[in-house]
Amino acid sequence: MSDVSDWWRTDIIDMEPGVIRFRGHAIEDLIGNVSFPQMIWLMTRGALPTEGEARLLEAALVAAVDHGPQAPSIATARMAVTCGLPLNNALANAVNMLGDVHGGAGEQAVELYTAIAEAGGPDHAGAEIDRWQAERTKFIPGFGHRFHKPVDPRAPRLLGLVDEAASEGICSGDFANIGRAIEAELAARKGKPVPMNIDGATAVIYAELGFPAPLARGLFCLSRSVGAVAHAWEQMQQGGRNKGPTPPQYRWTYTGPKEAGE
Amino acid sequence: MSDVSDWWRTDIIDMEPGVIRFRGHAIEDLIGNVSFPQMIWLMTRGALPTEGEARLLEAALVAAVDHGPQAPSIATARMAVTCGLPLNNALANAVNMLGDVHGGAGEQAVELYTAIAEAGGPDHAGAEIDRWQAERTKFIPGFGHRFHKPVDPRAPRLLGLVDEAASEGICSGDFANIGRAIEAELAARKGKPVPMNIDGATAVIYAELGFPAPLARGLFCLSRSVGAVAHAWEQMQQGGRNKGPTPPQYRWTYTGPKEAGE
Amino acid sequence: MSDVSDWWRTDIIDMEPGVIRFRGHAIEDLIGNVSFPQMIWLMTRGALPTEGEARLLEAALVAAVDHGPQAPSIATARMAVTCGLPLNNALANAVNMLGDVHGGAGEQAVELYTAIAEAGGPDHAGAEIDRWQAERTKFIPGFGHRFHKPVDPRAPRLLGLVDEAASEGICSGDFANIGRAIEAELAARKGKPVPMNIDGATAVIYAELGFPAPLARGLFCLSRSVGAVAHAWEQMQQGGRNKGPTPPQYRWTYTGPKEAGE
Amino acid sequence: MSDVSDWWRTDIIDMEPGVIRFRGHAIEDLIGNVSFPQMIWLMTRGALPTEGEARLLEAALVAAVDHGPQAPSIATARMAVTCGLPLNNALANAVNMLGDVHGGAGEQAVELYTAIAEAGGPDHAGAEIDRWQAERTKFIPGFGHRFHKPVDPRAPRLLGLVDEAASEGICSGDFANIGRAIEAELAARKGKPVPMNIDGATAVIYAELGFPAPLARGLFCLSRSVGAVAHAWEQMQQGGRNKGPTPPQYRWTYTGPKEAGE
């Protein structure tokens, strides 16, 4: 059976008294010399990215920080503070919300893009969309938006940066092509635009940069955490105690029996 | 009583279909043009920082990402993954841990530094330490380390960057002086060095940059989240199911009665 | 330094292969023989309660299970499910919400009652209320309700059960008297009734039964968890994806600058 | 689009000022008259159970409260308190842990039992085990235990109560038969006993009582919460600050490069 200190094994961090090394880099060499996105990359990937790769990652991290108090993640962070919770607990509630539906679209989009790439590229978008809908769900992750019509302003901006990076050889551009092929396919099927949204666009970047799908969700969590902290802190300054989702006069609809046994 | 859409009010984000503005900046102008630390600053403070301010914030964010599986935050993230949780839930557990003791030292250090500053500066360190211990707790937040002896390698590196920034007029250097005054005072009282640790050093930076104390904890959460995601992801790749804190053969000590009623 | 198996010590549970004992009771003797509230008592207090004590605890646990989707705990549980989270994560978000403001009133009320008891009993209610407001907050925990006017239907029912139990010698009734003294004092000060609410009434029970104040919050968490599971499960059956606090057409009020730099 | 108060709909709770009704029952009629397990049933199922049904549910709830600090749920609760978290946040971390691997076995066992029942009963256990392993995972949920050898003491006790209840017509006993058929099948396949564990046994009860599979996890969460609160509270009394999984001298094994670039 394993020894105690062998129970948790890691390639990430090495420590002795007075010494902290991440992936073999002494912490004092990283501080002040690498950017926060470079550090995120080093920690999750094992080596430092190029400047160009780090810039692209940075753009994705900047893009997804917040979508307002209507998003369950932000709503719960603000409510949490009115219940007396400090920022760490409010942020935990926000991040916990980023499950398959609210935070998982980026991860799923990377999976879909990867499936199309492995099938041979953009020409296989239609077939892989069919397979996705047969095996997973009718929702194509990363496309369409119930609020931002006609277009989510973050997506074209991010795609433009990918194109730029591809032209400089920072990434291949293959996943941008795949994303656009999905967009074209969905438009043809629906007879109207179903444009790429923030999840679809950040997934293009994460796939271009070689991040495995689950990390796409992890990175989204790091990004959205910024919005959650900002909103929780703003709410803390506003005060307010035990604020539910709506003002007290707007309650829920009761749909059960008036009397037991009815 | 308040109207529904008036129930949550925010200065942070404005949205219309196709439009997202943060603090008055269109998101497409921010993406690709501001760094992730600048975005963190904009979201939490209301306006963009200077380049020098952003660099100092970035150094603090880079410094605190991880302290290994021995830290409760990281331990819980790794355990969570072995219980079948995806990254968002693992990260939530990690961040939730960053309470007054594990994540609050930075916040408390900013409070102590601010108290000393308001009392008149470094010369008042001793008196404010006395007051802290009388009114709060014997633990002086941000100084001493049970593992990193003689010195936490992150602290002198961060302080060096503050000195540099102060010499360039990016910050005043007042809180670095206060931090050093506390260090000297504690050494004199204990008869041995009680050096500034990571929490004390990042608190110097946050105070120099004008962050209110609760945000020091919020920023620490954003930083430590990186380590939690990296460790959770590594554990996910290693596999392992339902891993408790130690191997099965090392259990706990039972200290209760052998039989009920004893 | 401590040995590994000595690192966590507990009086609660003893285990060998094939053997599980709680507080010295073999688990197979507890199953089918003690009620769930008796088990809660055994685990938290160290010995089994009398039948009468268990009944009183049970009444408090039954009383506080739910307060509808307007309560942040329940709201976040329902939202969580629409974000794709399973019940454990939805419940975690709900319970996390039960901080000082939303879940802490019972704990605080036990503290206030205890302070009055230690000061000498009901006659000291006024003085201890003054001290509470001077040292803690203007809010007197456990009294008044912004929704249930004139009276929270749970409080008189619970108090009636305490009176009954006191008449049977199950508890002293001292804390019921203290609760009523606070009620009378607040009515006199305000010139209108400020009746005891669910937190004030369950706190009377917890104090009568000898639960320390922090456990009053713990027990409230166990009780409210029932509502959170029920609501999360109902929402799971209803479906709904990524449901924020209000329908999409009701958004928040933006109160910041239209353009950056304004 | 939906109206605000129509956004959250529930059959569970109806409220007006001074009135709280659960499933049509006034709260003051429930308090003191129904047991906590009956209330749990009413909230999750829509109507009150019989006494016999409630007793069986109660046995399952009592059985699963705790499995010691080696269980990730309990470990994280104890660690949380040493990080300065109050009981609600410590409990949230514990419950969040109860994912597919640590808390999901009961839910999965109900699914497997139901599949066998729908296929025609115990004779179909082998075929459904094959299908489970082909479509889901090699792990058969609810059977075998890495620690409790030869047998988990909770399982035979719970099964005995089911047999008793079946003989009294409280439940059918069909799922106990299915559970035993799985046990026999696994023993035959492995050539050694793979006895039913706590998850398999509570799943028999939940299936006998008609609880849908996801609620099996929900009920386990309610049960294990008791252990988490008890352990967190015990730890709070013991003190201890920022306690990681093992004593400081037992660290992790670093398996990465000594120097970056190696």
Side-chain angles (χ1 to χ4, degrees), chain B:
Chain B
M1 268 193 268
S2 63
D3 186 290
V4 184
S5 49
D6 202 36
W7 184 240
W8 299 108
R9 309 170 69 90
T10 180
D11 286 1
I12 299 172
I13 181 170
D14 191 14
M15 253 170 55
E16 293 164 50
V19 176
I20 303 173
R21 302 179 78 82
F22 291 107
R23 308 287 192 179
H25 297 268
I27 182 64
E28 60 271 26
D29 296 340
L30 295 166
I31 296 171
N33 291 322
V34 303
S35 71
F36 193 39
Q38 284 177 305
M39 190 69 185
I40 293 170
W41 185 300
L42 176 67
M43 292 291 287
T44 52
R45 302 287 293 273
L48 286 165
T50 65
E51 290 277 328
E53 288 171 328
R55 269 204 314 277
L56 212 48
L57 170 60
E58 188 145 41
L61 291 170
V62 164
V65 291
D66 185 19
H67 207 247
Q70 200 76 352
S73 51
I74 301 299
T76 202
R78 295 192 77 114
M79 288 198 291
V81 165
T82 75
C83 295
L85 273 63
L87 293 184
N88 58 309
N89 305 129
L91 177 55
N93 258 26
V95 171
N96 216 34
M97 280 289 186
L98 303 174
D100 288 349
V101 174
H102 183 23
E107 175 174 355
Q108 294 150 20
V110 172
E111 289 169 12
L112 175 61
Y113 297 168
T114 305
I116 294 171
E118 288 173 356
D123 293 349
H124 300 260
E128 292 303 317
I129 287 171
D130 290 340
R131 188 210 298 266
W132 182 274
Q133 292 185 318
E135 292 178 5
R136 300 284 290 262
T137 149
K138 63 176 175 164
F139 298 102
I140 299 303
F143 294 82
H145 204 289
R146 58 186 180 184
F147 181 78
H148 290 301
K149 297 181 187 306
V151 79
D152 182 330
R154 300 166 291 187
R157 176 68 177 132
L158 289 169
L159 264 282
L161 292 174
V162 174
D163 290 344
E164 231 179 275
S167 76
E168 295 167 22
I170 291 164
C171 59
S172 70
D174 290 349
F175 291 95
N177 292 336
I178 287 171
R180 285 176 172 126
I182 296 173
E183 206 171 42
E185 178 71 24
L186 294 176
R189 290 183 184 198
K190 296 266 187 182
K192 62 174 182 181
V194 187
M196 191 182 287
N197 60 32
I198 176 75
D199 298 310
T202 51
V204 164
I205 289 182
Y206 297 140
E208 291 279 349
L209 296 175
F211 282 93
L215 275 179
R217 187 186 316 198
L219 294 168
F220 176 60
C221 290
L222 297 181
S223 174
R224 178 55 54 94
S225 291
V226 176
V229 166
H231 279 276
W233 166 239
E234 185 185 61
Q235 185 64 50
M236 203 177 269
Q237 292 169 282
Q238 288 177 8
R241 284 167 60 87
N242 205 352
K243 286 183 74 171
T246 48
Q249 73 271 29
Y250 297 95
R251 303 191 73 78
W252 62 90
T253 296
Y254 176 65
T255 46
K258 205 66 195 156
E259 298 274 331
E262 276 179 16

Side-chain angles (χ1 to χ4, degrees), chain C:
Chain C
M1 267 193 267
S2 62
D3 186 290
V4 184
S5 50
D6 202 37
W7 183 240
W8 299 108
R9 309 170 69 92
T10 181
D11 287 0
I12 300 173
I13 181 169
D14 191 13
M15 251 171 56
E16 292 164 52
V19 176
I20 303 173
R21 301 179 78 83
F22 291 107
R23 307 285 193 182
H25 296 267
I27 182 66
E28 59 272 25
D29 295 339
L30 294 167
I31 297 171
N33 291 322
V34 304
S35 72
F36 193 40
Q38 283 177 305
M39 190 70 185
I40 294 170
W41 185 300
L42 176 68
M43 293 290 288
T44 53
R45 301 288 292 275
L48 286 166
T50 64
E51 289 278 328
E53 288 170 329
R55 270 203 313 277
L56 212 48
L57 171 60
E58 189 144 41
L61 291 169
V62 164
V65 292
D66 184 21
H67 207 247
Q70 200 74 355
S73 51
I74 301 300
T76 200
R78 295 193 76 114
M79 288 198 292
V81 164
T82 74
C83 294
L85 273 63
L87 293 184
N88 57 307
N89 306 127
L91 177 55
N93 257 26
V95 170
N96 215 33
M97 279 289 187
L98 303 175
D100 287 350
V101 174
H102 183 21
E107 177 174 354
Q108 293 149 21
V110 171
E111 289 169 11
L112 176 59
Y113 297 169
T114 305
I116 294 171
E118 288 172 357
D123 293 351
H124 300 261
E128 291 302 318
I129 288 171
D130 290 340
R131 188 211 298 264
W132 182 274
Q133 291 184 318
E135 292 178 6
R136 301 283 291 260
T137 151
K138 65 176 174 164
F139 298 102
I140 299 304
F143 293 82
H145 205 289
R146 59 186 179 184
F147 182 76
H148 290 301
K149 296 183 186 308
V151 79
D152 182 329
R154 299 165 292 187
R157 175 66 177 134
L158 289 169
L159 264 281
L161 292 174
V162 174
D163 291 344
E164 232 178 275
S167 76
E168 296 167 21
I170 291 164
C171 59
S172 70
D174 291 348
F175 291 95
N177 292 336
I178 287 171
R180 286 178 173 124
I182 296 173
E183 206 171 43
E185 178 71 25
L186 294 176
R189 291 183 182 197
K190 295 268 187 181
K192 62 173 182 184
V194 187
M196 192 182 288
N197 61 31
I198 176 73
D199 298 311
T202 52
V204 164
I205 290 182
Y206 296 141
E208 291 279 349
L209 296 175
F211 282 93
L215 276 180
R217 190 188 313 198
L219 294 168
F220 177 59
C221 290
L222 296 182
S223 174
R224 179 53 56 92
S225 291
V226 176
V229 166
H231 279 277
W233 167 239
E234 185 185 60
Q235 184 64 49
M236 203 177 268
Q237 293 169 281
Q238 288 175 9
R241 284 168 61 86
N242 206 350
K243 287 183 74 171
T246 48
Q249 73 272 27
Y250 298 95
R251 302 194 73 78
W252 62 90
T253 296
Y254 176 67
T255 46
K258 206 67 195 156
E259 298 274 331
E262 273 179 17

Side-chain angles (χ1 to χ4, degrees), chain D residues 17-257:
Chain D
V19 176
I20 303 174
R21 302 179 77 83
F22 291 107
R23 308 286 193 180
H25 296 268
I27 183 64
E28 59 272 26
D29 295 340
L30 295 167
I31 296 171
N33 292 322
V34 303
S35 72
F36 192 39
Q38 284 177 305
M39 191 69 184
I40 292 171
W41 186 300
L42 176 69
M43 293 291 287
T44 53
R45 301 289 291 276
L48 286 166
T50 65
E51 289 277 328
E53 289 171 328
R55 270 202 314 276
L56 213 47
L57 171 60
E58 188 144 43
L61 291 169
V62 164
V65 292
D66 185 18
H67 207 247
Q70 200 74 353
S73 50
I74 301 300
T76 202
R78 294 192 77 114
M79 287 198 293
V81 164
T82 73
C83 294
L85 275 63
L87 292 184
N88 57 308
N89 306 128
L91 177 55
N93 257 27
V95 170
N96 214 36
M97 280 287 186
L98 303 175
D100 288 350
V101 175
H102 183 21
E107 175 174 355
Q108 293 150 21
V110 172
E111 289 170 12
L112 176 59
Y113 297 169
T114 305
I116 294 172
E118 287 173 356
D123 293 350
H124 300 261
E128 291 302 320
I129 287 170
D130 289 341
R131 189 210 297 266
W132 182 273
Q133 291 185 320
E135 293 178 4
R136 302 282 290 261
T137 151
K138 63 175 175 164
F139 298 102
I140 299 302
F143 294 83
H145 204 288
R146 59 186 180 185
F147 182 77
H148 290 301
K149 295 180 189 310
V151 78
D152 182 329
R154 298 165 292 186
R157 175 67 177 133
L158 290 169
L159 263 282
L161 292 174
V162 174
D163 291 343
E164 231 178 277
S167 76
E168 296 167 22
I170 290 164
C171 60
S172 70
D174 291 349
F175 290 96
N177 293 335
I178 286 171
R180 286 177 173 126
I182 296 173
E183 205 171 42
E185 179 71 24
L186 294 176
R189 291 184 182 197
K190 296 266 187 183
K192 62 173 182 182
V194 187
M196 192 181 287
N197 60 31
I198 176 73
D199 298 311
T202 51
V204 164
I205 290 182
Y206 297 141
E208 290 280 348
L209 297 175
F211 282 93
L215 276 180
R217 188 185 316 197
L219 294 169
F220 177 59
C221 291
L222 297 181
S223 175
R224 179 53 55 93
S225 292
V226 176
V229 166
H231 280 277
W233 167 239
E234 184 185 60
Q235 185 64 50
M236 203 176 269
Q237 293 169 281
Q238 287 176 8
R241 284 168 60 87
N242 205 352
K243 286 184 75 170
T246 48
Q249 74 271 29
Y250 297 95
R251 303 192 74 78
W252 62 91
T253 295
Y254 176 65
T255 47

